[in-house]
Each structure stands twice: as C-alpha cells, then as structure tokens.
Amino acid sequence: YCKAIELMKLKGIFSGYPDGTFRIGSAINRAETVKVVVLAIGLSLANNNAVHFWDVPNNAWYLTYLASAVRYGVINGYPDGAFRGDRVVNRVELLKIFLEGTGITMPYCTKAPFNDTPANAETRWYIDYVCFAANNGLMFGDGAGNYNPAAPMTRGDVAMLFYNFYVRGMDSQINLGYYTGSNTYNPYTYVPTTTSYYYY
C-alpha cells in the first residue's frame, strides 16, 4: 500500500489521523467515502451545503463533500431521509459509488469475475462494476479467487483502488464515456514510466 498511500497524501485525498497513522485495515464509512470519492474524481465542492438529511448536523465535518456528492448524483440517502454517515461501506458499495461518479460507462457483464460474484439477478446491481474493476486491474480477489463483496472496504483498499485508477490514466476518462485503455497491468510488478503518479 505504500506508494498508493503516498499518492493519496500528495493529492490531498486522504489526510490520515492526528496521531500520524493511516490505518490501512480500518473500514471506511459513508461520511469518509463521500469525501475521498469527491476528491478522487475531482468534483467541484458545493457552495450550498443544504443536503436535507435529518441525521446530518449542520456542522458535520463532511457536509461540503456530501453536498457535492448529492449534487452530482454520486450518492443518495435512504428512504427514511437519513444519510447514515457512520455506516460502514462494503467492497461493492464503494466500488459502485466511485465508478458511477466517474461517469465511465460500465460494459454489461455476463461472466462471473470471481468465484463469489456470479453474474445473475441477485448481483445485477453491482456485477458490471466488479467485472470492470477486475478486467481493468482496479481491484483484485483473495488467493482463493473470491472478491468478498460484503466485506467492509478498508482505507488501504480504497487507496489501492484510486492508485490503480490513476496509474492507468483512467482519470482522463472521467465523464467522457467508455474506457478504452489496456487491462494488462499488474500493480505488483508494473512500474509506469510515462506517468507522474509513481513515487519512490
């Protein structure tokens, strides 16, 4: 995670904790998600912070990011009008929020990318995003070939997702439609030579 975290710090997406830690294995919640996704995609911050969620106080630290995320359709509240910022986000939820926010069109997926993510009616709401992430080297499964979709998304995994997105130049495709780049990179062996996103 080292280079990914360094890039996140340099781009101002993650700031770490007051004690100087990053907490790689800590699960990310909805409030934190709106902040890092808005910053990673490069959305303009909202001038009006009125988001009208009954459980979001007017002085919430993430209010500006949430207002931007709502304005651009990156995230929605719940049917009862709540945002539930403390709720932990799982691996498919965060992936879908991020990729939907980029505006990149997801190809229709018909083949299971991992053992535990079959392409069927139950997974239809997220399977295209998981297929896209797997085919383009954005996220990877465990050693057993599973994606673990319901597992909490950790801060380290979010940093890696964003890092992989940047080193593939996919940020240039935000809101432009289909991504047509290569999908053969391996983040564990690939050292990009034409991008400024790789730091030693």
Side-chain angles (χ1 to χ4, degrees):
Y1 297 106
C2 183
K3 292 176 178 62
I5 293 170
E6 184 178 18
L7 176 59
M8 297 306 104
K9 181 179 179 181
L10 289 170
K11 292 181 73 67
I13 296 172
F14 279 93
S15 56
Y17 290 89
D19 63 358
T21 61
F22 181 80
R23 304 181 190 176
I24 293 172
S26 294
I28 193 167
N29 63 32
R30 283 170 57 84
E32 295 165 331
T33 294
V34 295
K35 176 189 175 182
V36 297
V37 167
V38 163
L39 293 176
I41 296 173
L43 299 178
S44 299
L45 296 183
N47 294 323
N48 184 349
N49 291 340
V51 292
H52 307 298
F53 294 119
W54 61 262
D55 61 340
V56 177
N58 291 332
N59 62 347
W61 66 266
Y62 56 88
L63 193 60
T64 298
Y65 305 104
L66 177 57
S68 299
V70 170
R71 183 175 69 180
Y72 286 101
V74 172
I75 200 165
N76 298 305
Y78 288 85
D80 65 354
F83 173 64
R84 300 179 189 170
D86 292 335
R87 182 180 178 273
V88 169
V89 179
N90 67 34
R91 286 168 60 82
V92 291
E93 290 169 336
L94 190 138
L95 181 63
K96 181 176 180 180
I97 290 168
F98 173 63
L99 290 178
E100 278 198 349
T102 68
I104 297 174
T105 301
M106 299 293 107
Y108 190 83
C109 181
T110 59
K111 182 179 180 182
F114 299 99
N115 295 334
D116 58 349
T117 56
N120 58 31
E122 292 182 5
T123 65
R124 179 44 50 199
W125 69 272
Y126 71 76
I127 193 64
D128 294 343
Y129 304 93
V130 176
C131 279
F132 183 85
N135 291 337
N136 291 285
L138 297 182
M139 292 186 72
F140 302 88
D142 59 21
N146 296 314
Y147 181 75
N148 302 305
M153 188 70 161
T154 67
R155 288 167 57 85
D157 286 340
V158 176
M160 284 302 306
L161 168 62
F162 293 168
Y163 178 79
N164 291 333
F165 184 81
Y166 288 129
V167 299
R168 285 156 178 75
M170 297 176 76
D171 53 320
S172 66
Q173 302 298 310
I174 291 176
N175 294 321
L176 295 180
Y178 288 97
Y179 172 64
T180 58
S182 171
N183 62 3
T184 59
Y185 301 148
N186 182 329
Y188 304 108
T189 60
Y190 173 66
V191 180
T193 57
T194 59
T195 176
S196 61
Y197 293 129
Y198 193 86
Y199 296 91
Y200 290 91

